[in-house]
Amino acid sequence: MPVQHQGMSEAMHSLPSVPLKDAARAGLVLLSLVLSGVIDYVTGYEVSVFLLYVAPVALGTRFFGVHTGVGVALVSTVVWMAVDHWTGHQYSHTWIWYVNAANRMICFVLAVWAISYFESRQQRLKQRLSAFTGPIPVCTQCHRLSANDGYWWEVDGYLKEFGGAQPQHKVCPDCARHAYARGGYCETAEQGR
C-alpha cells in the first residue's frame, strides 16, 4: 500500500497547478450556472428566468475573458434547452425550440460583448488617469515627459497618446508681452489700451 500512496502523491504533484483564486472563480461560474438551471427547472417553463443565465455568462467573461464568456454562453444555452425539455414544455413545431435557443445564445453573446467593451473602456480610462497622476519625470533640458514604457515623449505627443487631447499652439499673454517687449512693440501695445 505505501507504494500506491507514493504513486498517487507523485501523480498529484505532476498535475498543472491552478491558482486558488482562479479555481474559486471557476467554481462560482459553475455554481451560478447550476443554480440558474435548478431555479429554471423548479419554476417550470411558464416562468421565464432567462436573465439568471446571464449571471454565469457575465462572471465567466469578467473573470476569464471573452473566449470563456462565449463558452459559458454556449453551455448556458444548452442548459436552458435541457431544462426546457425536462420541464415538459411542448412547442407546436420543433424549430421553435431551436429558434428560442438561438435567441438566447445571441443575447448571451451580446452580454459578453458588452462586458468586454465596457472593461476595455474602463482600462483605457484608467490608463489615461494614471498618465496624469503621480510623479511624471520631465527632462530639465528638452522638457520631454517620460512614460511608463521608458520612452521620452514631446509634450504634444504625450498629451495626444495618453490623454486623447489635441494640443493647439497659441501664445499666452505673458509670453506675448515678453515677445512684443523684445521686439520694440512696448509703446504700440500700451498706446492701444
Side-chain angles (χ1 to χ4, degrees):
M1 275 291 180
V3 174
Q4 286 180 338
H5 281 301
Q6 187 168 351
M8 283 287 272
S9 175
E10 288 175 8
M12 292 297 285
H13 289 295
S14 67
L15 290 175
S17 66
V18 176
L20 187 58
K21 188 176 183 180
D22 286 345
R25 287 177 170 181
L28 184 61
V29 170
L30 184 62
L31 178 65
S32 65
L33 181 58
V34 169
L35 282 176
S36 298
V38 168
I39 291 170
D40 192 11
Y41 182 77
V42 169
T43 58
Y45 65 84
E46 291 179 347
V47 177
S48 177
V49 292
F50 163 67
L51 288 177
L52 285 179
Y53 288 101
V54 175
V57 172
L59 290 172
T61 304
R62 180 76 171 99
F63 292 152
F64 302 108
V66 175
H67 292 20
T68 302
V70 171
V72 174
L74 179 63
V75 173
S76 292
T77 303
V78 169
V79 168
W80 172 83
M81 290 176 77
V83 169
D84 196 54
H85 177 73
W86 292 334
T87 57
H89 194 178
Q90 298 292 320
Y91 293 97
S92 58
H93 299 285
T94 306
W95 61 266
I96 296 173
W97 186 52
Y98 292 109
V99 168
N100 287 344
N103 285 335
R104 281 165 172 73
M105 179 67 184
I106 290 169
C107 288
F108 296 151
V109 170
L110 286 174
V112 170
W113 174 82
I115 291 167
S116 64
Y117 172 78
F118 286 117
E119 282 185 348
S120 68
R121 294 284 300 162
Q122 182 182 22
Q123 284 299 111
R124 181 71 178 141
L125 290 174
K126 282 182 182 179
Q127 180 186 10
R128 282 186 178 179
L129 183 62
S130 69
F132 294 102
T133 56
I136 300 174
V138 179
C139 177
T140 57
Q141 299 299 313
C142 66
H143 303 288
R144 289 185 181 162
L145 305 171
S146 177
N148 291 340
D149 60 2
Y151 181 75
W152 289 85
W153 292 79
E154 296 286 339
V155 174
D156 290 357
Y158 190 87
L159 291 173
K160 286 178 187 176
E161 181 69 23
F162 298 107
Q166 297 296 325
Q168 296 178 347
H169 296 280
K170 295 184 177 185
V171 179
C172 74
D174 289 338
C175 291
R177 274 192 291 279
H178 291 293
Y180 290 138
R182 279 184 275 157
Y185 298 112
C186 287
E187 294 175 14
T188 54
E190 290 177 6
Q191 289 174 355
R193 288 185 188 177

